[in-house]
Amino acid sequence: MNTENKYFGTFQWFIYLLANSIALPIVIGNVFDLSATEISTLMQRTFFIVGLSSFIQGKFGHRSPIADGPAGSWVSIFVIFASIGTQQGFTMMETLQTLEAGLIVTGLFLILLGITKWVRHLLFLFSPIVTGTFLFILAIQLSGVFIKGMVSIDSNTGQMDGVSFLLAIFIFFFIIVLSLKSKGWLKNYAILLGILVGWSLFIIFGKGHRSISISADWIKLPEIFPWGVPSLTGGVSVTAILFTFLLISNTFAAISAAEEAIPNNRGQFHDRLNRGTWIGGVSHLFSAIFSTIAVVPLPATAGFVRLTKQYRIIPFLFACGIMVVISLSPSIVGLLASLPLPVASAALLATLIEMLGIAIRSLTKQPLNDRNITIIGVSLLVGIGIMFLPADIFNGLPSIIQNIGKNGLLVGTFLAIIFEQLWKQKN
């Protein structure tokens, strides 16, 4: 790889890490009624954890170019707990303190499973059907987040900003066409070009401004426990332990998808999974200490790698280092965070197409007989269907049932695991 391509690759990885880190802090900030300043400092801490965790995973964990990012699966837990906490009389900040404790419990459990290598004894649970179900439901869940991000509200009329939405749609299809029809560097840098073209169009149409309030300091270290001291409850403990198995499925899916997307990257899967699991636990502890959404290896990275042909680890590690350094400068974070949310969301939505393709290929690795079709159908229909239930339908039930019942990704994946284990194939 020549120097120019290495620099472009590093820059494209940096933009990808950045784009994955912008949307979800804003979502969580709005759910928990955080102020503009609190949202912007949350974004700074998120950038720091994303860069740090991705670097540690790439260097010492699974050792593949797989971006860590705020977990869409954890977002659902945060949103559910916000609702339950309000019902139980907790303030939003008290609820966030219980979630910090949940991140610590999950982190310690992941470290234990990874270091002891017990995680390899759980591999029998993650068949191609289970992995495909997880990736499919996750893609559907994230598509909702990204499409919502593509829709912006006009502050004057209170209605959807049609121009911004049409520009976001244009960016989405621009990236797809560029990745399918072009060749060479145009194809490899489709996402980067899409984001740059989209950002430029938003500025030209007067839609490029987003009010992000952040400190004017040039250097500022991330604050420790800005949400307060963690507060452990029985409900969050049980949820965290159950959720650990979903995170193992996430790591398994991310590494498997990377092996499929990156040439000559197969081998030592068990070691990669062990290291990726316990490093993931460390990342969860960092996320708790710095009060952010937990970051996890993003299975959607495989889609980015397929689109861009960014197979090498060195540009990825450089981009992670830049992300950490940039996060220490609130002024620069404020500038980068002005990337319009519809632009970032449209670019990320385009990467889900490849992720969905990996899910479908995983689901069809085994013969589509009556057994497999039934397991896939039940798991997907129930898991996705739960996403459309009213938010208050589980109100009044025990908190642990609410935590599980409201999470379509958790329910769908666990259904696939249970059916796979109870309904054995006939030889």
Side-chain angles (χ1 to χ4, degrees), residues 246-263:
L246 192 66
L247 294 174
I248 294 172
S249 179
N250 181 96
T251 304
F252 183 95
I255 297 174
S256 299
E259 283 196 342
E260 185 176 331
I262 302 172

Side-chain angles (χ1 to χ4, degrees), residues 21-53:
S21 307
I22 286 177
L24 296 187
I26 296 173
V27 172
I28 292 301
N30 289 326
V31 168
F32 284 89
D33 298 325
L34 300 182
S35 67
T37 300
E38 288 172 327
I39 291 175
S40 56
T41 54
L42 170 61
M43 191 174 291
Q44 182 203 4
R45 298 193 304 273
T46 301
F47 288 176
F48 177 77
I49 293 298
V50 165
L52 180 63
S53 180

Side-chain angles (χ1 to χ4, degrees), residues 267-339:
Q268 300 183 326
F269 182 86
H270 288 184
D271 289 337
R272 289 173 184 265
L273 183 61
N274 286 329
R275 294 193 304 266
T277 298
W278 77 262
I279 291 292
V282 173
S283 297
H284 272 68
L285 295 184
F286 283 145
S287 298
I289 291 170
F290 294 103
S291 298
T292 68
I293 315 162
V295 299
V296 296
L298 299 176
T301 306
F304 171 83
V305 170
R306 278 180 175 272
L307 282 175
T308 61
K309 312 300 181 191
Q310 295 295 332
Y311 304 131
R312 288 170 57 87
I313 191 70
I314 297 301
F316 171 74
L317 294 178
F318 272 117
C320 297
I322 293 172
M323 191 77 170
V324 171
V325 173
I326 291 298
S327 73
L328 301 180
S329 175
S331 299
I332 298 177
V333 170
L335 175 63
L336 294 175
S338 65
L339 170 66

Side-chain angles (χ1 to χ4, degrees), residues 162-176:
V163 174
S164 295
F165 183 65
L166 289 175
L167 288 175
I169 292 292
F170 169 78
I171 296 160
F172 172 69
F173 285 106
F174 175 79
I175 292 173
I176 292 175

Side-chain angles (χ1 to χ4, degrees), residues 65-326:
I66 305 173
D68 273 21
S73 49
W74 264 113
V75 169
S76 60
I77 296 292
F78 271 64
V79 172
I80 291 166
F81 267 81
S83 173
I84 296 174
T86 300
Q87 296 170 24
Q88 296 178 344
F90 291 126
T91 65
M92 288 299 186
M93 205 54 66
E94 288 171 339
T95 300
L96 287 170
Q97 289 163 12
T98 65
L99 287 165
E100 285 178 339
L103 294 177
I104 292 173
V105 171
T106 300
L108 293 175
F109 200 17
L110 287 171
I111 291 172
L112 176 65
L113 290 173
I115 289 181
T116 60
K117 299 184 179 180
W118 289 349
V119 68
R120 70 175 54 187
H121 299 302
L122 301 175
L123 288 181
F124 72 95
L125 297 175
F126 306 116
S127 66
I129 287 179
V130 172
T131 303
T133 298
F134 172 82
L135 287 173
F136 196 100
I137 299 177
L138 181 61
I140 300 300
Q141 183 184 65
L142 291 178
S143 70
V145 174
F146 296 148
I147 289 177
K148 286 180 182 177
M150 292 166 65
V151 178
S152 57
I153 304 299
D154 192 310
S155 57
N156 296 322
T157 64
Q159 298 178 341
M160 183 179 76
D161 187 336
V163 174
S164 295
F165 183 65
L166 289 175
L167 288 175
I169 292 292
F170 169 78
I171 296 160
F172 172 69
F173 285 106
F174 175 79
I175 292 173
I176 292 175
V177 171
L178 205 60
S179 63
L180 290 176
K181 299 298 184 181
S182 59
K183 297 180 180 179
W185 69 273
L186 283 175
K187 182 182 182 72
N188 293 345
Y189 300 108
I191 292 178
L192 174 60
L193 291 171
I195 288 176
L196 294 178
V197 168
W199 200 344
S200 301
L201 288 174
F202 266 68
I203 292 173
I204 291 171
F205 281 86
K207 305 292 183 180
H209 175 70
R210 193 166 96 225
S211 57
I212 295 290
S213 172
I214 201 160
S215 169
D217 297 335
W218 276 103
I219 298 294
K220 184 178 181 181
L221 296 176
E223 188 178 351
I224 295 177
F225 291 127
W227 290 339
V229 178
S231 175
L232 188 63
T233 64
V236 77
S237 299
V238 174
T239 302
I241 292 172
L242 287 175
F243 201 67
T244 300
F245 292 95
L246 192 66
L247 294 174
I248 294 172
S249 179
N250 181 96
T251 304
F252 183 95
I255 297 174
S256 299
E259 283 196 342
E260 185 176 331
I262 302 172
N264 305 317
N265 192 47
R266 295 186 180 276
Q268 300 183 326
F269 182 86
H270 288 184
D271 289 337
R272 289 173 184 265
L273 183 61
N274 286 329
R275 294 193 304 266
T277 298
W278 77 262
I279 291 292
V282 173
S283 297
H284 272 68
L285 295 184
F286 283 145
S287 298
I289 291 170
F290 294 103
S291 298
T292 68
I293 315 162
V295 299
V296 296
L298 299 176
T301 306
F304 171 83
V305 170
R306 278 180 175 272
L307 282 175
T308 61
K309 312 300 181 191
Q310 295 295 332
Y311 304 131
R312 288 170 57 87
I313 191 70
I314 297 301
F316 171 74
L317 294 178
F318 272 117
C320 297
I322 293 172
M323 191 77 170
V324 171
V325 173
I326 291 298

